[in-house]
């Protein structure tokens, strides 16, 4: 257990600042996370009151003042402090220990009655609001009224008497709102504040934050109790927040906000306009110099940019807290690279390239890769953040309307209940996509991510009727402008400002280092279905294609009718004719892909989805039939739609099962692929081909599918290879490997048998997760998943980060059993987890050779793969 | 490897008869199954011709005759013989070795030209039909014409010359049909016959038989080549089939069919009326005595009833084959019990009770338990045999029509595309159920099995339109009579005769023995949802209820509207009110169940299915809306149906997930249950209760569900227990255990975590199989499963017999991990596999405490459990 686990981040850092760095830190003590966990489990721990009393006594003796003392009282601050910094929890109660007696003692000892009552009114309102849960407006209104009454411009202009009155009013408010008088006993005040911190751990905002940030609900928070120092005694006082470097840009220059005669909350609340550190330098040159020296020591100690809070009390500088500071993506990249050089002023220090790599997160890269909104707006609705990036455009409700509008040069947001293959032409022209239904692997989400188009799906408060949609009583019509943030899932009415993504130069440096670290250890490929995607992927550093979903080639508007002809075929001849047409177009698609990835491996997955995905929906045709009747073609389609409709298509006739039902299909695809290979080889490209069979569950199934592929290969190879365009030499045909996806629990368990007839495995962790949990992602993700994450029934969304102990164990079992039969067998992953940093850690430890993800995730995967090799992203739950 | 593996059953028995029992068996040799497997893998084995030639030579020298010899030729029979007896494969070619020359030799050596040409014409037609694949009618027509020409009444009346002509005609037919002359070289004839045997292994009828009988496609068949003896030379010859006991009744008296002057095929084909063994005794008293003595030796050797073929050639008895004979269920029971007594005439022998138990199969019990058809009819359609037994009735197409007809006293067969909860009242009155869609766990199948109502589902050639259905060009109207055989899946037009099931008295004896063997080792419970089912189960020997599906209580017509009110509730108050109503009715249901099972454990599974199962279908309402509009209630239902509709309901919001979404639901069910327990305890019954949570995947989920149950228990227990009706004593409330189903792969893998918060596990192997394979049973079973079984992609239907190496491993893992955390934890299974003999073997070996199955399977499970304990039904693949 680390110090941070027990004391929380804030407590651990305070202890370090005081005992290791010898910085001027006010005395205090920390109540451990153990106590919080006890509290959550079985209420206020019996021994805690006594322990707190002991620590308070020790603190009182160090400070030579007593809590609640009527002559020279000790005041303390109470702050929450979990292992990971967590907005959403109770933050801070200041000035605790003041009561009707000690406020007089404070007035006497400081010889400043106004200060004493100003502190008291702050304490009552803060305690009332944060600990007792009273609406803060009740205090604010009274404060405003008091200011108005005495014509005070700012809070600081309110005279002492008025503050005294205000304290009385505030106490009355507390009594009215809680039914009890404001607590006068400092020990009770302290227990109340500590309990409030504990409680706030399970407050809804804290839970929501932990769900978003993937922090375990079990950790609990520590509580930091610290002697108060006062930045608001007089003008020889002040308070500030300081960063050792610029957290927004990464520039190596301290940066901060500062206020004279104020307490910390004033800086954060933004009530008064703050000044910068240069202003501090003018007013307190010595203290500024001391602070700068401390910054140097902090950076040297933490070897990172630090964020600090400090207070000046009558000419003395106190450090109230410090932590390694949060930063933007651009700043993270710049700092990480900068810090590898001996750059600090004195006692120079630097970090290694490997350390630098560990400083950059996936979110940092994401930020610099996708366009962002530069401003904020009123959030109209929220859905699932399906494809990151920001988009602004006019709303259209059908694909055809979207295409027409795009032809007129408009920027389009396509809004649909859900999308289907028939919407693809509209999706192609859209800047962003919004759907009311569907989860993160819905058609809309998968297509959008593939193209890097920002998308929000499953926004179920969006009610679409005809060519309008409404959220509550707000109606949005066709042509109205909305803004989508695919990174947060927020829909905003009207136009936000877009900031283009321009990765800083350190982006390339970091990724170069990452590639050096992971070289030969964990490759990164991309999932790409078209030459355009493949080009993008290669540009972003992909080392091949780990998954080409050939079904996407079937969905283009000019192909769908042919696919339907194949499905509807009444005779083998008709079926063959349709397959033949498909072969021609598939060949062109494959050729493009192979050209783009020349010299790098391309994994082609044969057709996977259930056939009904290529047919119109039963309901639509049934309704049309009931209302206006169907023509002969529609009748045939309806019959086919009925015949192929399934109760649970996810578990139905798809993958290799489709190959068994339509045996000509896979042969056609392989033939198209091999003809494309010949064609591009003749042009001088180097095709490297892996054929992948989806959804196998038995060795016999894979052996059969393999035989189909080998038959075509044998036939192709029986013919002479083409000659290169330039010379008279014949090209050397590549050796094609044939492997399978591991995407059912049975395939994972029986990987030994499958390995006998497979050259490689690629883990389809999306489906594997769906089947291992029994979670249909499309159904679960909008209704159940949020509830499950909030209630702590799941620690993570297993579709985002692989479930380590369930699905993860299956991956490990399969890797082990597969390699036992076939030593050194190539293993990869092509589910969405292939782009998730923590999952990549598991894949590396399981011995996989590569991960494959969407082109836009490739840089993130490259970084994460390096981090996995370094060993830094182990799977301990946050 | 056993002798049977290599030589096949027939070959091994022949070898035994000759070398061990020293019976008069014609010389011969057997080509092993190895050769067949080689042939299937890579064509005719190179060395086989030589080996056959060597064996033929050896046979010729033993018989002192040569194959094809022009003076005194050797003739042989060629028979297939797999490890397991298999109709559907090539059976026998007799008289091989005859050609234009040797037929003359045969005529000379036997001094019987008629016999020689009769044998030749038989050979040509048999070879033509069986080896060369020529339509048998072509030979039959010629034979009939020949008979007519010479005014012959029977085949035996055709004179030699006419037979000669017939041979010429037959050879011409062969040449015309095959394009080649009839082979004259005996070596070629033999190779052709052997290859035909090999090929017949993969004939469609053989494959279909193996799929039905669960025999592996990999075994291959042996080929038996044996010197011919002739039962058709003259009236001092004959042939017969003999059973050592009566295979239909089990009576210990030899039984058989016999024909004078005939070959074996005549007995089997039923061309002439056969006589019985008494007739043989009259004609051949010595040979009859010899046969009876052989029967005694056979029974003593095999310790079982044997089935034999024999031939008399000019006063000498030859045994052509023997095997342990097939028998009816009643006969199997009687023989098994009889043979435990020292009953055989001489050199008495007997079997142990344990051996007797191994002699009876599940099919035997099934036969004596369910009504059967006494006659056969034209099969109109075939579907999945969903619920065994036979039913006859008039066809009705809606539940309401069925109820009206039943009120008029008619026997009803309900025919539907598929059934839903709204059809339940019609299903209740039906004698049998037929659906065109759905698999073996479809609503229709599950409900029918639960009630013991014969049912056929997924008969997809049945096209329903309005109040008629058609199969091909046959149309069946409302009120027409059909017969359903739920054991075979066959639908017959018209009325077949029903035979009531009356188990013989040995039924009870065998089950008593079974119970003695399995006592304390493997219990058998039943899945039952109502008091009636529970009564039936107890009568059939169930030791408790392993699964009560509480959803069935929600489906009754008077409850569905209340369930819908709960789903549609707009306010918590409305929801609570609906739940309260449901609590009242559930309480009564539970009370009935607990009374019936007093003193035995009852496992109540809290609500499991997705809520949309209680709502009308979206399509229906959408169509109605489009056509005629909806009223307000229907609009609300449509909205709810949309809201709860799921893409893959199997993997959606069901099981404990439902409990999370509707937290009051489970609490209501537990309260109803505990109130029922109090009520029946006061009446003097002894309720034993196990509460079961479905579909958990994480410990946290189970802990939460457990807390709901415990809260209600604590509340109930805080009130005084009721007094018994008679005395003033208060009843002692039972300790309720709380467990979970293991029905997702993740639950199996993380059984250790779940065991921390579960008192017991019950394996839901239906869902576990669906998720482990990614097979939606409803979708897969009609379209994919038959194709997969026929192609050998699956050795077994994993929904009938548990998949040993995939799903089975998960069961073993879960049992091990669960018991590691909680020693001696109670484990059971309540999927349909709980009633499958082979699966029961795996469950026993995995350490489970009980299996639970439908009430009507309980006797079978009792027997299978005993067999598992004895160790006889290990899982080696047939």
């Amino acid at each position: 257990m680390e110090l941070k686990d027990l004391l929380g981040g804030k407590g651990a850092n305070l202890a370090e600042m005081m005992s290791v760095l010898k910085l001027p830190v006010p005395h205090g003590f920390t109540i451990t996370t153990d106590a919080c966990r006890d509290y959550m489990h079985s209420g206020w721990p019996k021994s805690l009151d006594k322990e707190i009393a002991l620590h308070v006594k020790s603190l009182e003796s160090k400070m030579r003042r007593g809590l609640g003392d009527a002559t020279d009282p000790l005041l303390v601050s109470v702050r929450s402090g979990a292992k990971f910094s967590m907005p959403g929890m109770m933050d801070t109660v200041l000035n605790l220990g003041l009561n009707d007696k000690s406020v007089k003692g404070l007035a006497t000892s400081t010889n400043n009655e106004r200060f004493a009552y100003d502190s008291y009114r702050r304490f009552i309102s803060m305690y009332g609001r944060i600990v007792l849960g009273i609406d803060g407006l009740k205090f604010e209104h009274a404060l405003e009224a008091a200011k108005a009454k005495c014509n005070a411009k700012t809070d600081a202009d309110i005279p002492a008497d008025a503050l005294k009155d205000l304290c009385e009013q505030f106490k009355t408010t507390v009594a009215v709102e809680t039914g009890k008088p404001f607590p006068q006993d400092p020990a009770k005040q302290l227990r109340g504040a500590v309990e409030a911190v504990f409680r706030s751990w399970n407050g809804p905002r804290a839970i929501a934050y932990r769900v978003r940030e993937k922090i375990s609900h079990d950790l609990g928070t520590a509580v930091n109790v610290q002697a108060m120092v006062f930045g608001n005694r007089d003008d020889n006082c002040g308070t500030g927040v300081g960063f050792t470097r610029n957290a927004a840009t990464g520039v190596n220059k301290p940066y901060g906000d500062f206020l004279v005669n104020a307490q910390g909350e004033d800086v954060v609340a933004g009530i008064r306009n703050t000044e910068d550190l240069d202003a501090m330098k003018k007013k307190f040159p010595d203290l500024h110099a001391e602070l700068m020296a401390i910054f140097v020591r902090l950076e040297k100690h933490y070897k990172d940019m630090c964020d600090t809070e400090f207070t000046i009390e009558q000419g003395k500088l106190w450090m109230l807290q410090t932590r390694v500071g949060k930063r933007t993506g651009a700043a993270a990249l710049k700092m990480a690279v900068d810090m590898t050089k001996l750059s600090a002023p004195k006692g120079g220090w630097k970090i290694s390239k490997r350390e630098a790599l560990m400083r950059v997160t996936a979110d940092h890269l994401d930020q610099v890769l996708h366009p962002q909104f530069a401003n904020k707006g009123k959030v109209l609705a929220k859905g699932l953040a399906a494809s990151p990036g920001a988009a602004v455009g006019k709303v259209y409700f059908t694909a055809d309307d979207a295409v027409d509008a795009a032809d007129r040069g408009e920027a389009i947001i396509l809004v649909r209940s859900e999308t289907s293959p028939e919407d693809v032409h509209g999706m192609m022209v859209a800047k962003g996509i919004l759907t009311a239904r569907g989860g993160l692997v819905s058609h809309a989400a998968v297509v959008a991510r593939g193209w890097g188009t920002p998308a929000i799906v499953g926004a179920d408060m969006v009610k679409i009727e005809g060519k309008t949609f409404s959220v509550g009583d707000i109606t949005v019509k066709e042509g109205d402008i909305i803004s989508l943030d695919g990174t947060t899932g927020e829909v905003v009415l009207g136009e936000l400002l877009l900031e283009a993504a321009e990765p800083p130069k350190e982006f390339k440096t970091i990724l170069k280092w990452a590639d050096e670290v992971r070289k030969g250890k964990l490759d990164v490929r991309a999932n790409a279905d078209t030459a355009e995607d493949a080009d993008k992927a290669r540009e972003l550093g992909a080392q091949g294609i780990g998954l080409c979903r050939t079904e996407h080639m079937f969905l283009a508007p000019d192909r769908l009718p042919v696919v339907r002809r194949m499905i509807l075929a009444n005779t083998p001849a008709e079926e063959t004719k349709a397959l033949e047409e498909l072969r021609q177009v598939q060949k062109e698609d494959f050729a493009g892909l192979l050209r783009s990835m020349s010299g790098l491996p391309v994994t082609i997955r044969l057709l996977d989805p259930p056939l009904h995905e290529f047919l119109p929906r039963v309901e639509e045709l049934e309704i049309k039939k009931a209302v206006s009747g169907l023509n002969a073609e529609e009748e045939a389609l309806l019959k086919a739609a009925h015949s192929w409709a399934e109760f649970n298509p996810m578990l139905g006739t798809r993958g290799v099962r489709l190959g068994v039902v339509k045996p000509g299909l896979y042969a056609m695809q392989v033939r198209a692929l091999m003809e494309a290979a010949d064609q591009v080889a003749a042009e001088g490209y180097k095709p490297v081909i892996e054929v992948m069979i989806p959804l196998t569950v038995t060795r016999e199934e894979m052996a059969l599918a393999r035989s189909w592929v080998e038959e075509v290969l044998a036939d192709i190879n029986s013919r002479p290879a083409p000659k290169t365009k330039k010379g008279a030499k014949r090209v050397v045909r590549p050796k094609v490997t044939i492997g399978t996806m591991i995407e059912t629990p049975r395939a994972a368990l029986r990987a030994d048998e499958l390995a006998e007839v497979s050259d490689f495995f690629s883990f389809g962790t999306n489906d594997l997760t769906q089947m291992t949990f029994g979670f249909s992602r499309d159904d679960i993700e909008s209704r159940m998943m949020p509830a499950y994450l909030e209630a702590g029934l799941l620690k993570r969304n297993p579709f985002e980060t692989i479930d380590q102990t369930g699905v993860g164990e299956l991956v490990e079992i399969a890797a082990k059993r597969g390699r036992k039969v076939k030593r050194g067998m190539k293993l990869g992953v092509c589910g969405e987890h292939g782009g998730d940093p923590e999952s990549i850690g598991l894949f590396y430890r399981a011995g996989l050779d590569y991960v494959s993800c969407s082109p836009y995730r490739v840089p993130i995967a490259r970084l994460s793969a390096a981090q996995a090799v370094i060993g830094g992203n182990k799977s301990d739950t946050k």
Side-chain angles (χ1 to χ4, degrees), chain A residues 64-297:
Chain A
R64 296 188 199 160
R65 287 173 181 159
L67 261 191
D69 191 275
T71 54
D72 186 9
L74 170 67
L75 304 190
V76 295
S77 65
V78 178
R79 294 164 200 247
S80 64
K83 179 172 180 185
F84 304 97
S85 169
M86 256 184 60
M89 262 163 57
M90 190 197 105
D91 191 23
T92 305
V93 173
L94 299 177
N95 304 325
L96 188 141
L98 279 177
N99 58 18
D100 292 351
K101 279 184 200 155
S102 65
V103 67
K104 287 178 187 150
L106 186 64
T108 317
S109 68
T110 60
N111 198 18
N112 188 339
E113 190 174 46
R114 196 199 163 279
F115 162 69
Y117 283 94
D118 188 46
S119 299
Y120 195 26
R121 67 97 187 162
R122 282 172 187 265
F123 172 52
I124 300 168
S125 63
M126 210 169 195
Y127 195 93
R129 192 162 47 79
I130 292 177
V131 177
L132 303 176
I134 299 167
D135 184 354
L137 283 176
K138 301 211 188 268
F139 300 112
E140 267 179 50
H141 290 327
L143 179 65
E144 291 308 315
K147 277 202 309 206
K149 201 171 160 192
C150 56
N151 281 324
K153 275 187 188 163
T154 72
D155 297 358
D157 300 330
I158 310 173
D161 283 348
L163 289 170
K164 270 190 196 171
D165 285 350
L166 209 50
C167 287
E168 289 308 313
Q169 278 183 49
F170 279 10
K171 284 190 288 179
T172 307
T173 300
V174 168
V176 169
E177 294 292 321
T178 67
K180 289 179 195 164
F182 181 78
Q184 291 289 323
D185 177 357
K188 281 198 182 140
Q189 290 174 355
L190 186 52
R191 169 166 170 163
V194 170
E195 198 166 353
V197 173
F198 287 168
R199 271 201 315 267
S200 72
W201 175 258
N202 278 330
R205 280 187 307 139
I207 290 177
Y209 182 81
R210 287 199 296 272
V211 168
R212 196 164 60 243
E213 294 294 310
K214 303 177 180 176
I215 298 171
S216 164
H217 295 325
D218 302 334
L219 296 178
T221 180
V223 187
N224 299 293
V225 180
Q226 216 174 357
M228 284 292 299
V229 288
F230 294 97
N232 59 337
R233 258 183 147 161
D234 54 34
D235 286 351
N236 198 21
C237 297
T239 190
V241 169
F243 289 83
T244 59
R245 306 185 184 212
N246 189 310
T249 63
V251 168
N252 188 2
K253 184 173 182 294
Y255 168 91
D257 286 337
F258 179 72
L259 273 178
V260 173
N261 196 1
Q263 274 196 333
E265 55 170 338
D266 302 327
V267 178
V268 178
I271 298 171
R272 284 159 56 189
N273 285 334
T274 55
E275 300 180 279
D276 63 13
L277 293 183
D278 289 339
M280 179 195 176
K281 189 175 184 179
K282 273 187 202 150
K283 280 189 185 128
F284 302 99
D286 293 350
L287 296 181
H288 179 267
E290 188 182 347
L291 184 65
M292 291 304 108
I294 286 172
F295 278 10
V296 170
R297 276 151 75 193

Side-chain angles (χ1 to χ4, degrees), chain A residues 19 133 380 428 461 473 479 521-522 533 566 685 693 702 720 814:
Chain A
S19 60
L380 181 63
M428 276 165 64
M461 64 287 277
D473 46 12
K521 290 182 172 153
L522 191 55
D533 288 355
M566 178 203 59
Y685 296 96
I693 311 294
M702 181 60 196

